């Protein structure tokens, strides 16, 4: 798996899990959805992504989006 795919999959899991938690547990979990969205937005402008840095350290092969 490439780094780009790992980051996008992780972001998708975080968003879907937080929506499910907001629906079944507490609406406050929508803040996690907002955080994930804000992080994706800033990463698109700056190229800085903490999740990508963690995945790199775990040995995921580099992709094209996060250098």
């Amino acid at each position: 798996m490439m780094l780009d795919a790992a980051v996008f999959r992780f972001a998708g899991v975080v968003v879907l899990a937080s929506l499910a938690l907001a629906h079944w547990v507490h609406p406050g979990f929508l803040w996690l959805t907002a955080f994930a969205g804000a992080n994706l937005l800033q990463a698109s402008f700056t190229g800085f992504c903490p999740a990508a840095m963690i995945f790199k350290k775990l040995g995921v092969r580099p992709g094209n989006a996060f250098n």
Side-chain angles (χ1 to χ4, degrees):
M1 176 182 339
M2 300 297 279
L3 182 62
D4 304 350
V7 169
F8 294 141
R9 287 178 188 170
F10 178 71
V13 167
V14 169
V15 168
L16 293 175
S18 65
L19 287 174
L21 288 167
H23 179 74
W24 283 299
V25 178
H26 189 274
F29 280 104
L30 289 174
W31 285 106
L32 181 58
T33 306
F35 174 75
N39 194 23
L40 286 168
L41 187 62
Q42 73 81 24
S44 72
F45 286 109
T46 65
F48 173 75
C49 180
M53 292 171 32
I54 293 169
F55 282 126
K56 277 184 195 177
K57 288 183 181 180
L58 291 174
V60 178
R61 292 178 302 169
N64 295 327
F66 304 105
N67 296 321

